[in-house]
């Protein structure tokens, strides 16, 4: 409700800490120094690949597809809450998500998987039909076709989708994200049809912060990408996904 969001906002601005919710590339490529990290979820939002991107995973006139959130009352989206340290982190995110990404800010409540942690207000970046980069709804086949043909300064659009899918599989093995996993399946089939392998689309040697997180306090699955790809390939068969040969 509007009152709940106002209360959350007030709690956030009087708190000495500011938290942001990551549900796309922020889960594996934050790009900034952050404090504590919690795995959990927000309610009332669904993750969808309905936002275009010409700055990171696409080029002008040929956008890639990246994740956004749409408001749906009964939906839950899983991701991470990251504690921001200093104004530089917020400035970085505002430039990355709002100026370059076409997102806007909202406040909602985050619920940690750690039952001893209270729910906290988090900053969420969301794009909708008002965004100049909005592409809107499409089926998994259409989205996968656009993704496999898109690449930008930050890398291939396939990498964006597959790293997110890998993170969900590895960190949240009991979670089933139908929208994400349907696109994932289509991409794996298309990669195989092209006679290629997943590594052809992945920048394995990049030292993303999420690949070397200290997992002792957070419970985050260690994510050394080369190992993840091998584990992922093995797991695909067990999950009845059509996978490429690694």
């Amino acid at each position: 409700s509007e009152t709940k969001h106002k209360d959350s906002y007030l709690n956030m601005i009087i708190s000495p800490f500011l938290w942001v919710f990551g549900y796309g590339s922020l889960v594996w490529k934050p790009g900034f120094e952050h404090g504590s990290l919690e795995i959990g979820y927000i309610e009332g939002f669904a993750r969808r690949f309905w936002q275009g991107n010409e700055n990171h995973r696409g080029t002008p006139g040929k956008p890639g597809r990246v994740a956004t959130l749409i408001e749906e009352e009964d939906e839950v989206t899983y991701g991470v809450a990251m504690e921001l340290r200093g104004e530089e982190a917020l400035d970085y995110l505002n430039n990355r998500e709002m100026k370059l990404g076409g997102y806007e800010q909202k406040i909602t409540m985050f619920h940690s998987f750690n039952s001893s942690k209270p729910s906290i207000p988090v900053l969420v970046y969301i794009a909708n039909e008002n965004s100049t980069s909005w592409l809107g709804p499409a089926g998994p086949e259409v989205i996968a076709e656009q993704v496999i043909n898109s690449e930008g300064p930050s890398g291939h659009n396939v990498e964006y989708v597959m790293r997110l899918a890998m993170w969900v599989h590895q960190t949240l093995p009991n979670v089933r994200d139908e929208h994400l996993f349907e696109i994932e399946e289509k991409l794996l089939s298309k990669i195989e049809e092209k006679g290629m392998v997943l590594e052809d689309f992945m920048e394995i040697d990049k030292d993303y912060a999420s690949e070397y997180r200290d997992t002792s306090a957070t419970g985050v699955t260690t994510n050394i990408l080369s190992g993840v790809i091998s584990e992922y390939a093995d797991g695909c068969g067990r999950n009845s996904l059509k996978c490429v040969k690694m």
Side-chain angles (χ1 to χ4, degrees), residues 17-63:
F17 305 108
L18 178 65
W19 294 74
V20 65
F21 179 69
Y23 60 89
S25 59
L26 284 180
V27 305
W28 51 268
K29 187 184 179 184
F32 62 93
E33 290 289 332
H34 59 80
S36 298
L37 181 146
E38 295 290 336
I39 306 295
Y41 60 93
I42 60 174
E43 298 175 324
F45 294 92
R47 178 167 34 220
R48 295 290 183 264
F49 283 83
W50 293 357
Q51 175 73 345
N53 186 281
E54 297 181 339
N55 296 299
H56 299 294
R57 299 291 169 173
T59 54
K62 194 176 180 182

Side-chain angles (χ1 to χ4, degrees), residues 71-194:
E71 295 191 43
E72 287 196 9
E73 186 176 353
D74 297 325
E75 290 286 342
V76 171
T77 295
Y78 297 89
V80 298
M82 290 177 284
E83 180 188 7
L84 301 185
R85 289 180 170 174
E87 293 183 6
E88 289 184 2
L90 184 59
D91 289 343
Y92 167 81
L93 282 172
N94 285 339
N95 182 67
R96 168 174 162 170
E97 305 297 335
M98 299 176 73
K99 184 177 179 180
L100 298 177
Y103 292 76
E104 60 185 37
Q105 294 177 338
K106 285 201 172 186
I107 305 294
T108 192
M109 296 302 293
F110 172 85
H111 311 281
S112 175
F113 281 161
N114 185 340
S115 58
S116 67
K117 301 281 187 178
S119 297
I120 57 172
V122 288
L123 183 65
V124 186
Y125 290 93
I126 297 176
N128 55 35
E129 62 271 13
N130 297 321
S131 169
T132 56
S133 300
W134 180 253
L135 295 177
E141 173 69 30
V142 172
I143 293 175
E145 184 65 23
Q146 185 169 353
V147 167
I148 204 167
N149 289 296
S150 298
E151 187 173 6
S154 294
H156 206 286
N157 203 181
V158 168
E159 179 184 45
Y160 177 99
V161 177
M162 296 305 294
R163 279 183 179 265
L164 179 56
M166 287 177 180
W167 182 86
V168 175
H169 286 305
Q170 293 287 318
T171 311
L172 307 166
N174 296 321
V175 168
R176 177 76 189 174
D177 187 323
E178 294 293 342
H179 180 74
L180 172 61
F181 292 172
E182 286 176 359
I183 298 169
E184 172 197 35
E185 282 196 70
K186 294 294 184 182
L187 282 174
L188 291 170
S189 294
K190 290 178 181 294
I191 291 170
E192 186 176 33
E193 288 167 5
K194 289 178 176 289

Side-chain angles (χ1 to χ4, degrees), residues 163 166 170 204 206-213 221-231:
R163 279 183 179 265
M166 287 177 180
Q170 293 287 318
I204 297 175
K206 279 193 174 178
D207 291 337
Y208 292 135
S210 64
E211 291 166 20
Y212 301 96
R213 283 180 184 148
T221 302
T222 303
N223 184 7
I224 307 299
L225 182 58
S226 58
V228 168
I229 288 180
S230 298
E231 291 177 20

Side-chain angles (χ1 to χ4, degrees), residues 1-21:
S1 68
E2 184 177 350
T3 301
K4 183 178 179 181
H5 282 292
K6 284 182 178 178
D7 290 343
S8 298
Y9 180 75
L10 289 173
N11 289 337
M12 176 171 281
I13 60 177
I14 64 175
S15 169
F17 305 108
L18 178 65
W19 294 74
V20 65
F21 179 69

